[in-house]
Amino acid sequence: MEIKLITELINCLKRIVHETPTFHLPEKGFYEKLDLKSSEYQFIVDVNRKGRKKPKFTLQLRSKSNKDYSLLRLDILGPDHPNPEGDFPFSGEVIPCPHLHIAHPEYGDSIAYPLNNEYANIYLTKTQLEDLVEILKTFLKFCNVGNIEDIQYEYQIELI
């Protein structure tokens, strides 16, 4: 995917398209999705709490026209991520969780960035990182979703 299209897909204004006024975040071990729509594109936000060995909390933005290609992936709980070598910030470094993957034309979603820096530009405090709804809303804002507050969010209290 070309950088121009990646940028357009991430930055275009989106809205949540949900049948009910409430979105239930999945309990540990489960997965849910939110549908998004822009004037030209349709998207999926995966809310994944499935974990094989350890608890997991991952949010991912994908275009419905290219479902196998992750545009953004926010890993809150999970393993550290070793970045490939290349010409980009944090090349060859191991990035601890939480981190953000941003699609790249050459590397796909294999590059991770620490959250609280200029590349990821998702600033979450330790307290915010314990609130699933706060994390989801912050991710949706980063994805340029305009109607975040039109939906109520319900979830299981504990993260781990």
Side-chain angles (χ1 to χ4, degrees):
M1 194 177 286
E2 295 178 19
I3 190 71
K4 183 179 177 188
L5 180 57
I6 291 170
T7 303
E8 181 180 341
L9 290 170
I10 291 171
N11 292 336
C12 70
L13 182 61
K14 301 163 196 72
R15 65 182 176 85
I16 298 169
V17 181
H18 198 60
E19 314 83 49
T20 65
T22 303
F23 177 72
H24 297 276
L25 277 83
E27 293 184 20
K28 286 187 284 185
F30 293 91
Y31 159 92
E32 290 292 336
K33 70 180 175 99
L34 261 176
D35 291 319
L36 307 179
K37 190 174 187 177
S38 74
S39 60
E40 293 184 50
Y41 306 105
Q42 294 185 346
F43 301 89
I44 300 164
V45 171
D46 301 298
V47 182
N48 189 0
R49 296 195 67 196
K50 290 181 177 182
R52 292 185 191 144
K53 296 179 183 176
K54 293 182 176 181
K56 181 178 184 179
F57 185 60
T58 296
L59 302 172
Q60 179 173 250
L61 175 68
R62 299 179 291 139
S63 167
K64 280 193 176 179
S65 62
N66 198 349
K67 291 181 184 178
D68 294 337
Y69 194 87
S70 174
L71 296 165
L72 296 169
R73 188 176 80 233
L74 177 60
D75 293 329
I76 298 299
L77 287 174
D80 294 347
H81 179 82
N83 276 340
E85 295 290 336
D87 185 22
F88 55 86
F90 302 99
S91 165
E93 293 185 32
V94 175
I95 309 300
C97 246
H99 55 250
L100 178 71
H101 295 259
I102 303 172
H104 185 283
E106 190 176 335
Y107 299 98
D109 69 351
S110 64
I111 301 171
Y113 300 96
L115 292 191
N116 295 334
N117 81 23
E118 64 184 288
Y119 297 103
N121 201 24
I122 291 184
Y123 295 92
L124 292 167
T125 65
K126 186 174 181 174
T127 303
Q128 290 171 317
L129 284 168
E130 294 172 359
D131 185 334
L132 299 182
V133 170
E134 184 70 30
I135 295 166
L136 177 58
K137 286 182 176 182
T138 299
F139 183 74
L140 292 172
K141 285 177 195 163
F142 189 83
C143 295
N144 202 21
V145 176
N147 67 335
I148 297 166
E149 297 303 326
D150 291 352
I151 303 287
Q152 292 181 14
Y153 304 88
E154 292 182 0
Y155 65 102
Q156 180 181 351
I157 298 294
E158 74 277 0
L159 179 60
I160 299 174

